[in-house]
Amino acid sequence: MTRVVTFGEIMGRMATPGHQRFRQAMPGTLQVTFAGAEASVAASIAYLGGDAAFVTALPDHAIADACVADLRSLGLDTRFILRTPSGRLGLYFLEAGANQRPSNVVYDRGESSVAITPADAYDWDAIFRDVAWFVISGITPAISRNAAEVTEVALREASDRGVRVAFDMNYRGKLWRWDPSVPPRELAMRTIRELMPRVDLFVGGREDIEAVLGFEPGSNPDTPSEQLAHAVGDQFPRVTRVAMTIRHSPSATENRYGGMLYDRQAERAWFGPGEGEFYPIARIVDRIGTGDAFTAGLLFALTTPGLDEPQTAIRFAAAAGCLAHSIEGDFNFTRRDEVEALMTGDRSGRVNR
């Protein structure tokens, strides 16, 4: 079985009930779960039946104990999670949007353990032993200067050991604030472009690809997605494949959803569920984490015999991402057989009896 390691921050997710606004829900009760992009990718891979480990730093207290236990219950390898005497568990607060009102996120992540723990605290030799893929996102380097430096070290340690790197862009404009002298978007692009030379697989949306290429978002509306994907490899030759979610959003609760996988060497793109086809999602239960489910589905497929052919892999990824829209919380509690049932044509949603 092929091993995947992810590195990043895991937080407490504090969500308002249903679609209530913060002002309606508080004072009152919030729904508490654990969340984080890289943890979500690892958890989804493990739940699908893959071999995944998650690396982070957490404070040494009872709430972090519960967080680690939650990850372990999903089948994740948590041996490389550092417990630190300083730092805190980051939080984010979520009010889910509906119809034409978008969802809203408020971050409270300053001075979290992973934001302040230095790179030499991690045992990279042990972390990357017998590992095939290392997964990071653009979120972790956004939370602090130190976290950006640790991300760069982790990439170097992985690539020096022959571990392939998957990078999920995940641009979060509210987070890039650790250098006040630089506008957030400029800081993000400067930092991410320094990481890209060590990336093998790039994952993102169309706007992410445009940003990495140095274009203003939406400035190339008529450029085919596969042409943009090829241009990423032209700028960063180590990138051999580019994957992207394709989403049409009539409202916060209704989407049409699919994905693309472009192979630069073959100069060919594959689409899921098919070229020009989309999954119609009439009522989104929870959109947070669906991109992570797509990334996890893609990596699981690419490392699993029988699913690793590009067309099959992107169909699996798109189906996994689609199903994640039906599950509350960041983690995609979807089994492999459920993903395969959807990708092979069972879209009815009928009760299994």
Side-chain angles (χ1 to χ4, degrees):
M1 186 176 291
T2 303
R3 186 170 178 79
V4 177
V5 167
T6 73
F7 168 75
E9 183 176 25
I10 187 165
M11 303 163 287
R13 165 178 148 155
M14 321 288 283
T16 62
H19 295 278
Q20 289 186 15
R21 307 217 68 178
F22 292 131
R23 185 62 185 86
Q24 292 176 284
M26 296 186 290
T29 301
L30 299 178
Q31 299 168 337
V32 182
T33 54
F34 296 109
E38 299 88 352
S40 181
V41 171
S44 295
I45 290 173
Y47 206 79
L48 288 167
D51 181 7
F54 177 58
V55 181
T56 192
L58 287 171
D60 191 10
H61 57 48
I63 299 175
D65 289 344
C67 178
V68 174
D70 185 45
L71 293 172
R72 192 178 295 124
S73 73
L74 300 174
L76 277 177
D77 183 347
T78 60
R79 289 176 296 160
F80 305 114
I81 294 179
L82 298 181
R83 307 303 297 273
T84 61
S86 57
R88 56 183 287 261
L89 177 73
L91 303 173
Y92 86 87
F93 297 81
L94 169 68
E95 60 174 31
N99 300 323
Q100 278 63 50
R101 174 172 62 85
S103 297
N104 186 31
V105 170
V106 175
Y107 294 112
D108 179 18
R109 306 170 72 161
E111 300 300 308
S112 66
S113 292
V114 78
I116 65 174
T117 299
D120 60 8
Y122 299 91
D123 186 350
W124 301 114
D125 277 330
I127 288 168
F128 290 125
R129 187 172 298 126
D130 299 322
V131 170
W133 281 95
F134 177 51
V135 183
I136 61 163
S137 85
I139 295 178
T140 299
I143 61 177
S144 71
R145 185 186 300 275
N146 174 75
E149 293 170 353
V150 175
T151 302
E152 185 175 5
V153 170
L155 280 178
R156 183 175 68 247
E157 296 285 347
S159 59
D160 286 351
R161 291 168 172 81
V163 177
R164 287 173 289 179
V165 173
F167 177 67
D168 194 343
M169 174 81 164
N170 276 336
Y171 173 70
R172 301 289 185 267
K174 291 182 178 181
L175 290 179
W176 288 92
R177 296 291 192 274
W178 49 261
D179 187 344
S181 68
V182 182
R185 187 174 183 82
E186 181 182 338
L187 178 62
M189 293 309 103
R190 179 189 302 175
T191 304
I192 287 169
R193 287 179 66 86
E194 290 176 355
L195 302 176
M196 285 294 294
R198 297 186 183 275
V199 172
D200 299 279
L201 169 64
F202 179 86
V203 183
R206 185 182 181 92
E207 290 187 357
D208 295 327
I209 293 176
E210 291 177 333
V212 165
L213 293 173
F215 301 146
E216 287 297 318
S219 61
N220 299 272
D222 299 324
T223 304
S225 299
E226 51 266 47
Q227 185 174 328
L228 288 174
H230 188 86
V232 173
D234 287 341
Q235 285 199 24
F236 305 100
R238 179 162 165 168
V239 176
T240 57
R241 284 177 168 173
V242 175
M244 63 185 296
T245 54
I246 303 174
R247 186 190 296 271
H248 300 280
S249 305
S251 72
T253 42
E254 180 184 357
N255 279 189
R256 292 191 302 137
Y257 183 84
M260 181 197 76
L261 176 63
Y262 182 81
D263 189 297
R264 183 166 169 263
Q265 293 175 333
E267 296 187 348
R268 181 179 173 186
W270 294 267
F271 295 86
E275 188 167 1
E277 298 179 8
F278 299 92
Y279 288 115
I281 304 173
R283 189 180 73 83
I284 294 174
V285 173
D286 194 332
R287 179 170 164 173
I288 305 295
T290 57
D292 306 325
F294 173 87
T295 300
L298 180 63
L299 279 170
F300 177 79
L302 289 174
T303 57
T304 301
L307 297 175
D308 52 349
E309 187 272 328
Q311 180 64 77
T312 304
I314 190 58
R315 291 178 65 211
F316 190 94
C322 172
L323 288 171
H325 288 77
S326 70
I327 297 172
E328 190 171 359
D330 277 43
F331 297 165
N332 185 21
F333 293 93
T334 301
R335 301 188 311 270
R336 173 179 174 175
D337 64 303
E338 294 173 318
V339 177
E340 291 180 319
L342 177 58
M343 66 182 280
T344 55
D346 185 0
R347 306 184 186 184
S348 64
R350 292 174 180 160
V351 177
N352 290 321
R353 300 184 188 274

